Amino acid sequence: PRWREPSARTFPRTPRRSPEPSRFRRRPRRPTLRRRPGAPFVELPAPPEPAIGGIGQCDPSGRLLIAKGSFVGSWDGNGWRPIPAASQLGLKTGEMAAGPARDGGLWIVDPSQLAKVAATGLVQRLRLSHPVAALWGVHEDTRGDLWLTTRQQGLYFIPLPQPGDDADAGVANVRNINDWGGHPFRATRFVAEDDEGNVWLGTPGDGLARLRPKAVHTVGEPEGLGPYNCRSASVDPQGRLWVSSQEKGVFRCDHPG
């Protein structure tokens, strides 16, 4: 594939949007959230947990789900509401990551467990077969399996148990991927999936990799992408792959397969 570089030179980030016109954003370096209902941002009250930080996602109804230390809850438009049973997970804010579930819930992962929550309650909770560390983000693919990006441990893959599996239904097996084609890597920033089921992995400094069943293909300077810090990727309705880099803006591949 050949990559095209549009004129954009600013570093784009991938926001998590609400399906309604309202938008949520977190103020950098400050433990506050702001909601924009089509007008200037309105600062929300701080969640009950006093610790700085927290991660969240908007569900299909527009409610913000958030995990912040001992508090796991949602903003219903009037106040913060704890999610039944979820606040007893014992999560550590500095050691966990979260990402959207395909059914509108929120996946939360810490070193020893993963859980899926919705505004109505705790949906699923599993122990991890091996501890995970230095977590960055969580991506659920079209098969319902999870990919965990990390700051220094490569990539974790978690195939979730399916009904009828012989394995212990309370345990999720963890596989660590930190090498492609004999080339080791440590930090991973994002995972994106295209229409053909290929998984695209972005790294800070090691370029972009395409993972196929039993094969990994690295994309870099020969294809026109360059040795850049790839920060996010998305596939549009036409099947084109868009990749943002810290150094050179946005690249597009019209035929990523």
Side-chain angles (χ1 to χ4, degrees):
R2 300 301 302 176
W3 294 80
R4 300 182 182 181
E5 180 185 346
S7 58
R9 286 292 181 270
T10 57
F11 167 49
R13 300 190 68 88
T14 305
R16 297 297 186 191
R17 292 189 174 185
S18 163
E20 63 175 20
S22 302
R23 298 289 183 267
F24 291 94
R25 69 183 291 265
R26 183 178 66 82
R27 298 184 65 186
R29 301 184 181 87
R30 293 188 60 182
T32 59
L33 287 161
R34 291 195 167 193
R35 179 177 186 268
R36 186 187 184 202
F41 282 98
V42 177
E43 189 167 322
L44 303 182
E49 168 66 41
I52 294 176
I55 40 187
Q57 168 73 16
C58 285
D59 69 11
S61 68
R63 286 175 296 190
L64 176 65
L65 308 177
I66 190 170
K68 187 179 181 185
S70 62
F71 178 77
V72 180
S74 65
W75 175 263
D76 64 2
N78 298 306
W80 294 104
R81 303 287 182 263
I83 294 174
S87 293
Q88 301 177 14
L89 293 171
L91 300 168
K92 296 181 179 180
T93 301
E95 300 180 24
M96 68 180 184
R102 297 181 67 84
D103 61 5
L106 177 71
W107 285 109
I108 308 170
V109 184
D110 75 3
S112 62
Q113 65 180 328
L114 69 86
K116 181 166 67 171
V117 301
T120 54
L122 179 63
V123 178
Q124 187 176 18
R125 183 183 186 183
L126 296 169
R127 302 190 317 274
L128 299 180
S129 62
H130 304 288
V132 296
L135 298 172
W136 181 270
V138 180
H139 172 79
E140 180 182 354
D141 64 25
T142 54
R143 295 174 295 276
D145 298 325
L146 299 183
W147 302 79
L148 312 183
T149 53
T150 74
R151 295 187 297 276
Q152 58 185 15
Q153 299 295 324
L155 181 72
Y156 293 111
F157 174 62
I158 304 178
L160 294 183
Q162 301 296 319
D165 284 353
D166 294 332
D168 183 351
V171 177
N173 292 318
V174 179
R175 175 188 174 192
N176 185 219
I177 304 170
N178 54 21
D179 179 277
W180 59 52
H183 176 65
F185 64 95
R186 297 182 65 82
T188 49
R189 288 288 191 179
F190 70 86
V191 171
E193 189 177 12
D194 63 26
D195 292 340
E196 297 181 0
N198 298 313
V199 173
W200 295 84
L201 172 66
T203 69
D206 288 322
L208 185 70
R210 182 181 64 200
L211 283 71
R212 287 176 165 172
K214 301 182 180 180
V216 176
H217 176 66
T218 303
V219 179
E221 290 184 89
E223 293 80 13
L225 182 60
Y228 303 129
N229 185 342
C230 298
R231 304 302 294 269
S232 64
S234 181
V235 179
D236 65 22
Q238 287 73 46
R240 299 175 299 184
L241 180 67
W242 297 80
V243 177
S244 67
S245 72
Q246 183 169 343
E247 297 86 355
K248 297 287 287 185
V250 180
F251 292 81
R252 187 187 79 207
C253 183
D254 293 338
H255 303 287

